[in-house]
Amino acid sequence: MSEIDIIKNKFNAQKKWALVVGDLMLDRYLIGSVSRISPEAPVPVVRLKESFDRIGGSGNVAANLAQLGIKTILAGQIGDDVDGKKLLDILKKNHIGVDGIVKDKNPTTTKTRIIGEHQQMMRIDQEATADLIDSKPLIKRISTLLNKKPSIVILSDYAKGVLSEALCQHVIKLAKSKKIPVLVDPKGINYSKYKNATAITPNKKEAIEACHIHVTKNTNFLTPLLKLKKSLNLQFIAMTKGEDGIDLIQKNTIKNLPAVNQQQVFDVSGAGDTVIATLAACMIAKMPIETCLNIANVAAGIVIGKLGTIPITLQNLIETLSPKHSEQEKKIHSLSGLMEQVLIWKKQKKKIVFTNGCFDILHAGHVTYLEKAKKLGDVLILALNSDSSVTKLKGKSRPVIHQEDRARVLSALSSVDSIIIFSETTPLHLIKKIQPDILVKGSDYKKNQVVGHQELKKWHGKVELVSVVPGRSTSAILKKIS
């Protein structure tokens, strides 16, 4: 089987599973708008619009594995509190096993981020100090799980105290006795607790601290990294370097595997979790380590183009690795994919233009119209009528061109930045979700006839009418052909 076929087959892991051990966290986001300063203190007032909770810490590693199609069980500690219950509920909804999670007297580690006008303004952390954590109940639970022989173990260290030296060494020793590989995403400078693991995946800064070296332009990383690998008795080290890719330290060599950034770097949070999860999935599939890390590089390149800590998905990875994948095809989005992109554009203060239509048999009139629409803002979203909606609007003989083919041709236009296919009679639902700055229709409409013109007032958007090219229409082309 080829690499892409193995990935499509969910890494050949139907009867295999992964165990992730580490610091569990709940990430909470409070998002709102800012329009004034508080009269009580010189601080902005955030008017709350929405709030949501996400899996954080080692749970994000498990979420990446689950999204890649790997059965995953998570082990760690939470509090017997409301936030702990919420975290368990989210994990279960994401099909992550919670058999390894124990409750204790400490509160669930929760990070609350307050975001105003797309800018993080404050973070509030709730957590226990490391010396209050009792590892014994968790070690007992993990031992039971290891006896069920997972295919791989990941120690995800966020330096919150769960991965003590005693716990790490117990897990590594027991796993090694059962010939189960152990990957570690390390933290801090006490790497001795990871001794005898299969590999560690520090970022460059973490590796520098662990090697106790002073870095200059001419610093030779090979000697200190080889020394670290030898002292910890590791098979390899994978040092992540952001836009510079991953350095593989194996045997007596260091090899750079270049980054594969498929899109603009927007948010690097969670990229390390994606790397170690993808590496683990590929190792379960028995791929060579270099191949595993090349695929992990691709996965990291996908998630850093998204807003916030978002796990990689199997479909994302397959689409990006597919030989048919192109920059143009990336413009064609699902609703969830489009909304991720819209959030990025809004964060970047881009002026979003929206239009819709059938675009059946693309002609010069269409191209000119879209070019004019694009000039009204920074990015143009095109909502394309599906085949069924075109038939409702134009009759049983239409469309002439299938919706996927229409979308693919339109994606080749430089004026179009994103395409979404919709089946409703009108794109009102999409307009409400996207909240574009400018809504464009042809000059054969009046502004008060344009669907969504009333809704635009709520977010101070406006309707623009673009002149159409006379004598250019799909109907005229069909008439000439017949």
Side-chain angles (χ1 to χ4, degrees), residues 78 83-93 96 98 101 103:
I78 60 172
D83 287 341
K85 186 178 184 302
K86 285 183 179 179
L87 181 55
L88 284 176
D89 289 342
I90 299 171
L91 290 169
K92 290 173 183 176
K93 285 177 183 177
I96 298 168
V98 297
I101 297 177
K103 295 179 181 178

Side-chain angles (χ1 to χ4, degrees), residues 19 156 215 264 407:
L19 174 62
S156 177
V215 178
Q264 179 186 1

Side-chain angles (χ1 to χ4, degrees), residues 250-301:
Q250 192 177 30
K251 297 180 181 178
N252 293 316
T253 63
I254 181 169
K255 182 175 183 178
N256 179 252
L257 307 173
V260 187
N261 291 329
Q262 298 296 323
Q263 51 193 312
Q264 179 186 1
V265 177
F266 188 73
D267 192 339
V268 298
S269 59
D273 295 338
T274 298
V275 167
I276 198 168
T278 309
L279 169 61
C282 293
M283 286 178 66
I284 287 174
K286 306 296 183 184
M287 294 183 188
I289 296 303
E290 194 170 319
T291 301
C292 295
L293 290 173
N294 279 324
I295 294 171
N297 251 334
V298 173

Side-chain angles (χ1 to χ4, degrees), residues 127-139:
E127 61 190 36
T129 57
D131 57 352
L132 293 176
I133 295 174
D134 179 9
S135 297
K136 291 178 183 176
L138 181 57
I139 288 175

Side-chain angles (χ1 to χ4, degrees), residues 387-444:
D387 289 349
S388 61
S389 65
V390 173
T391 301
K392 289 176 184 176
L393 292 167
K394 305 288 186 179
K396 292 183 179 179
S397 63
R398 301 281 297 276
V400 177
I401 309 297
H402 190 268
Q403 62 191 35
E404 272 77 25
D405 290 344
R406 285 184 282 130
R408 182 66 184 88
V409 172
L410 286 161
S411 73
L413 299 179
S414 60
S415 56
V416 177
D417 297 284
S418 184
I419 298 169
I420 182 168
I421 299 171
F422 72 101
S423 297
E424 296 84 2
T425 307
T426 75
L428 185 60
H429 174 67
L430 288 174
I431 293 168
K432 288 179 178 179
K433 289 281 289 184
I434 295 166
Q435 296 189 7
D437 300 289
I438 299 171
L439 183 57
V440 175
K441 289 298 286 184
S443 56
D444 47 342

